[in-house]
Amino acid sequence: MNTYPFSFSHLQKALLAVGSFSYLGLSSGMAYAADENETAQLATITVTADKAQAAYYQPQVNLTGFTQQTQAEIPASLTTVTAQLIADQHAKTLTDVVKNDAAVGDGYAPIGYYPNFMMRGFMLNAGSSYLLNGHLLRGQQNVALENKAQVEILKGISAIQSGMSTPGGVINYVTKRPENVRSLTIEGDSHGGNRVATDLGGLFGEKQQFGYRINLAKEEIHPYVDHADGQRVFGSLALDWKVSDRSKLEFDLESQRQRQRSVPGYQLLGGTALPTNVNWDRLLGYQSWGKPVTNESLNAGLKYTYQFNDNWTANLAASQSRVVVDDYSAFPWACYSSVCEISGLGNSFDAQGNYDIYEFRSPNDSYLTNQFKTGLNGKFNTGTWQHNLSLELSQTYKRHAQYDAVNVQVGSGNIYTDSETYNPSNVPLGNHYKSLDSQQTALNVLDQIEFNTAWSVLLGGKLLHLDENAYAADGSNIRETNLDRFLPQFAVMYQPWEHTHVYASYAKGLSDGGQAPWFANNAFATLSPVYSAQYELGIKQQWQALLFSAALFDLKQDNQYTNANYDYVTDGEQHNLGLELGVQGRLSPNLDISSTMAFIDSQLKGIDAAEYSGHQTQNVPKLRFASHVSYAVPQVDGLRLLAGMQYSSDKYANKAGTVKVPSFTVFDIGSAYNFRAYGYDNTLRLNIDNLFNKKYWRDAGSFFGDDYLFLGAPRSAQFSWTVNF
């Protein structure tokens, strides 16, 4: 906020020049007359004006364990993607959002399925790497963005935020809070897709202590791939109640149903070569009897906050995240049938592009997370040291229930031709069973000690108790884990001069174990949690509305994979070294920018499979860069021009590091125009993604033990109109 003092001496002199004047006061019936020779001294009037908020930068965040609320002061690397940037880019899923951060990439994110992501070279965990307003969120869903105020990409602080997570970081969705708003958005794209969304909210009560916000959306999905159309319906409700001047109750509920046929990925040809000259629009393995994947999700949260005084605040919170996935797919995988050029290639297509088609049936794949939290935050002094204490006790319950799925070969196909139609199998589903039952109790204690204006430290950690059981399809218990661990957190912060912050941090973490692939000897078994360690050194410089950041990191985590004996095991570790550079905010009065760069050296070490070590880890490029700008045209009020680009260096497409997908650069352009017509505020947006129609492999990751390749989207245009009424 900028403050501008104004002097009114010129006004005084003008009045006095006219002659004497009087000021009549009605209090006690008395009147006061100013003598013409007296100089009347008027009180200084201070006018305040809010500085225009940068469109692509939100400095305010609210993280567990940190008393700081601005990005510049927090000893960690993070990126915020604002609601305006989400709208400008017509982002519909998290895949569209994370392209703004060079440290994040796809890690098996097919169209029509829930996405997976790599952050700082580590695969995020669907059970613990995603948050909604700081509470655990199931990752087996395409989280809707219509009701999100911002998406926070938090790197290097995952152990504090979610208790159990990968060292790469976490994604935190922040919902919009109630306010007086009424808007309607209509959107369409060049492939025939369309969306209608509303945002309705209000404040009421004598002191406007009650508030609500409702977001609704209906989308017809028409991707660039044939036979993959789908539908999505979404609704959310946010309620706020200011119970008193010191207490507040917040409630969030969102529900979504998406139904769309999943688009499978390619595999290497003969295990040694990339597919070439493939069509963007061909759905591999298409069978008319194949059903769309149905994904139904429900996320809810309730939080009560009470402020005892200016120094101490307590909160109570409860949340639930539930996802049910019905997966009926015709799926191309490997090549073991008689049409294959060579039998027994391993899990890849043959050299001519032939593959086997499998019928996969796994309905009612259910994921549930319940979480309860109570916290206390306060500050006090011991001598000249100021303490900012954060205490949080949490109880988390996770459950995964599934069928003993059907996965049967029904035919074969080729990547260059449409598939023949085969009959589906009549193999019945197996038992529906609980594959994982996990209870976690955690006490998080952090004390940020400010020694003086320049130096401070963050001391503490998380005391974690885990009671976890994994089960086989017949209901037998195949693993029981009961452990107690202390996960330390430490950071030292130094402010050499105003607006500059230097930090060094260390943390240990614990992440949910992976689930074995269907072809492993211990198929679908969930392994024990894995351990990680994080080191980070960073600097942040705030210059007006622009934040510069740099971070060096050293991350390690236990590795899990399927070995040569087809056992899914924990063996060796993944070691990532990296450098991140970023700039976010307002570069000039007319120019907003969000730009990041990430250099990552990632290798597997101490692993029995020697061919998997000694080279860059699969699907992790050495260098990635992302930049997006918004320029307000001064000659046309309300018009902004948009531009963006993403670059990725080449990366390995298999674990042995023998095949690479080439580097790529993709450019986007767009515009946004705000105007007022017939008494209403309107916004028109137009975007063209992949402007030069670049064909590239965006994702070369591994999923359930197999390697897959996914093409990036071709050139597409999107248009939207938003009216506030």
Side-chain angles (χ1 to χ4, degrees):
M1 177 175 287
N2 290 335
T3 302
Y4 306 97
F6 290 86
S7 172
F8 283 80
S9 58
H10 294 292
L11 176 61
Q12 298 173 27
K13 292 177 181 178
L15 292 173
L16 290 173
V18 175
S20 61
F21 67 98
S22 63
Y23 173 80
L24 299 180
L26 300 182
S27 175
S28 304
M30 298 179 64
Y32 168 75
D35 186 90
E36 62 179 351
N37 295 321
E38 285 186 339
T39 301
Q41 183 66 43
L42 298 181
T44 300
I45 298 177
T46 300
V47 177
T48 61
D50 288 334
K51 183 187 295 181
Q53 177 66 53
Y56 295 167
Y57 173 56
Q58 169 53 262
Q60 297 295 316
V61 291
N62 192 0
L63 305 180
T64 299
F66 292 99
T67 56
Q68 307 100 320
Q69 292 188 344
T70 61
Q71 285 195 47
E73 298 174 338
I74 292 175
S77 178
L78 51 135
T79 300
T80 57
V81 182
T82 64
Q84 182 165 330
L85 180 54
I86 290 172
D88 281 353
Q89 295 179 347
H90 292 92
K92 295 181 176 64
T93 66
L94 188 56
T95 294
D96 304 319
V97 173
V98 299
K99 72 179 184 180
N100 294 283
D101 193 314
V104 190
D106 292 322
Y108 193 82
I111 295 172
Y113 201 65
Y114 60 83
N116 296 265
F117 299 95
M118 310 279 288
M119 186 181 295
R120 286 185 167 181
F122 288 94
M123 182 73 76
L124 296 185
N125 188 282
S128 55
S129 296
Y130 301 91
L131 309 173
L132 180 64
N133 296 325
H135 300 281
L136 281 178
L137 178 77
R138 296 303 317 191
Q140 293 87 358
Q141 59 181 301
N142 272 305
V143 178
L145 300 175
E146 282 85 1
N147 68 326
K148 304 304 185 294
Q150 66 188 49
V151 179
E152 299 171 346
I153 302 171
L154 315 174
K155 292 159 287 185
I157 51 177
S158 55
I160 296 180
Q161 300 307 305
S162 63
M164 292 181 63
S165 188
T166 63
V170 296
I171 301 289
N172 183 39
Y173 297 90
V174 181
T175 57
K176 297 175 181 177
R177 301 317 309 164
E179 61 178 286
N180 291 313
V181 59
R182 291 187 299 172
S183 71
L184 173 69
T185 297
I186 299 174
E187 184 176 78
D189 62 53
S190 56
H191 300 293
N194 60 82
R195 181 178 69 101
V196 178
T198 61
D199 187 0
L200 306 172
L203 302 172
F204 59 96
E206 184 177 346
K207 298 181 179 180
Q208 293 194 328
Q209 69 269 37
F210 301 104
Y212 71 93
R213 191 152 190 169
I214 300 172
N215 289 91
L216 303 172
K218 186 179 188 301
E219 181 179 6
E220 295 293 326
I221 306 170
H222 295 276
Y224 55 89
V225 181
D226 292 338
H227 311 296
D229 293 349
Q231 303 84 34
R232 180 178 70 96
V233 179
F234 168 76
S236 70
L237 172 66
L239 299 174
D240 284 357
W241 176 24
K242 295 182 180 178
V243 183
S244 69
D245 292 338
R246 292 186 176 274
S247 60
K248 185 178 182 179
L249 191 64
E250 298 171 287
F251 173 73
D252 286 277
L253 175 69
E254 63 181 50
S255 178
Q256 180 171 258
R257 186 178 192 271
Q258 180 171 331
R259 192 171 186 269
Q260 183 180 9
R261 185 176 273 115
S262 178
V263 177
Y266 289 79
Q267 293 186 291
L268 294 176
L269 304 188
T272 61
L274 296 172
T276 57
N277 301 318
V278 295
N279 293 337
W280 258 310
D281 58 359
R282 176 168 286 122
L283 180 66
L284 297 183
Y286 169 68
Q287 299 291 298
S288 58
W289 45 261
K291 296 181 181 179
V293 175
T294 301
N295 188 301
E296 296 182 334
S297 60
L298 179 69
N299 307 308
L302 181 66
K303 182 179 181 180
Y304 175 72
T305 304
Y306 184 80
Q307 184 176 1
F308 296 104
N309 50 47
D310 293 340
N311 294 329
W312 292 92
T313 303
N315 61 78
L316 295 170
S319 65
Q320 182 179 91
S321 182
R322 179 191 298 268
V323 178
V324 178
V325 181
D326 291 330
D327 192 349
Y328 297 88
S329 300
F331 198 81
W333 181 80
C335 200
Y336 289 91
S337 63
S338 59
V339 302
C340 299
E341 187 176 75
I342 300 174
S343 180
L345 291 170
N347 301 343
S348 65
F349 298 168
D350 81 357
Q352 304 305 316
N354 295 311
Y355 56 80
D356 294 336
I357 299 175
Y358 285 75
E359 180 190 5
F360 181 74
R361 277 184 278 136
S362 180
N364 196 18
D365 201 3
S366 304
Y367 303 87
L368 173 69
T369 295
N370 292 329
Q371 191 170 49
F372 302 92
K373 292 183 177 182
T374 179
L376 179 67
N377 297 279
K379 56 186 178 181
F380 60 93
N381 294 330
T382 56
T384 59
W385 296 359
Q386 179 173 308
H387 297 259
N388 298 277
L389 186 65
S390 173
L391 303 173
E392 183 180 80
L393 180 64
S394 64
Q395 177 71 32
T396 304
Y397 172 71
K398 300 178 185 177
R399 186 189 69 199
H400 180 202
Q402 63 185 97
Y403 272 102
D404 186 6
V406 169
N407 195 40
V408 181
Q409 182 187 346
V410 295
S412 61
N414 187 278
I415 63 174
Y416 299 111
T417 60
D418 292 335
S419 302
E420 296 181 27
T421 299
Y422 300 95
N423 294 322
S425 71
N426 55 7
V427 177
L429 284 167
N431 296 327
H432 192 265
Y433 67 102
K434 181 170 59 175
S435 59
L436 180 68
D437 189 283
S438 177
Q439 296 191 55
Q440 175 192 139
T441 303
L443 175 63
N444 192 55
V445 181
L446 287 172
D447 186 10
Q448 181 183 324
I449 307 172
E450 298 178 10
F451 301 115
N452 50 49
T453 57
W455 289 93
S456 64
V457 298
L458 185 71
L459 293 171
K462 188 180 291 286
L463 182 61
L464 183 72
H465 172 73
L466 180 68
D467 185 4
E468 190 169 272
N469 291 273
Y471 301 92
D474 60 5
S476 61
N477 190 316
I478 57 176
R479 175 177 63 84
E480 182 176 356
T481 301
N482 196 302
L483 60 83
D484 295 283
R485 289 290 184 274
F486 178 69
L487 306 175
Q489 297 281 159
F490 173 77
V492 57
M493 294 156 281
Y494 174 56
Q495 188 172 355
W497 50 81
E498 190 177 10
H499 304 309
T500 302
H501 298 81
V502 181
Y503 67 90
S505 65
Y506 164 75
K508 281 194 172 182
L510 192 67
S511 178
D512 293 323
Q515 190 174 33
W518 64 274
F519 57 81
N521 295 326
N522 51 342
F524 297 111
T526 302
L527 298 192
S528 300
V530 295
Y531 295 94
S532 64
Q534 312 173 32
Y535 300 86
E536 185 170 329
L537 177 65
I539 183 171
K540 297 183 180 183
Q541 173 67 53
Q542 183 78 51
W543 182 70
Q544 296 183 0
L546 201 64
L547 177 66
F548 298 89
S549 62
L552 284 166
F553 58 85
D554 183 345
L555 311 176
K556 298 177 182 179
Q557 179 176 261
D558 296 338
N559 179 61
Q560 295 182 334
Y561 73 111
T562 306
N563 63 18
N565 297 322
Y566 291 96
D567 294 320
Y568 189 66
V569 297
T570 301
D571 177 33
E573 68 176 15
Q574 183 178 342
H575 187 190
N576 291 4
L577 296 170
L579 169 66
E580 292 175 1
L581 301 174
V583 56
Q584 266 192 303
R586 177 147 290 174
L587 193 59
S588 72
N590 295 325
L591 184 63
D592 291 320
I593 185 170
S594 174
S595 186
T596 60
M597 187 208 76
F599 174 84
I600 302 175
D601 180 74
S602 175
Q603 295 191 27
L604 298 178
K605 297 184 177 181
I607 186 172
D608 288 341
E611 67 274 18
Y612 293 170
S613 62
H615 55 77
Q616 185 81 352
T617 305
Q618 180 183 1
N619 202 34
V620 182
K622 285 271 189 180
L623 180 65
R624 188 185 276 127
F625 176 75
S627 184
H628 296 84
V629 296
S630 169
Y631 177 69
V633 180
Q635 294 82 4
V636 183
D637 187 35
L639 177 63
R640 289 181 293 116
L641 301 181
L642 317 171
M645 66 89 69
Q646 303 97 52
Y647 166 80
S648 172
S649 64
D650 55 15
K651 54 188 178 181
Y652 286 112
N654 60 349
K655 301 176 188 65
T658 58
V659 185
K660 278 186 175 182
V661 297
S663 62
F664 65 84
T665 304
V666 177
F667 294 92
D668 307 324
I669 62 170
S671 63
Y673 180 46
N674 301 307
F675 63 97
R676 190 167 180 83
Y678 302 103
Y680 301 117
D681 292 323
N682 297 262
T683 302
L684 298 177
R685 291 183 171 93
L686 173 66
N687 274 74
I688 300 177
D689 295 333
N690 194 359
L691 178 65
F692 300 110
N693 209 32
K694 174 76 172 180
K695 182 174 280 189
Y696 63 99
W697 298 106
R698 65 169 172 84
D699 183 1
S702 176
F703 184 69
F704 264 68
D706 291 313
D707 304 329
Y708 295 98
L709 298 160
F710 291 93
L711 286 169
R715 179 171 51 229
S716 60
Q718 299 178 91
F719 172 82
S720 68
W721 170 41
T722 300
V723 56
N724 297 296
F725 55 91

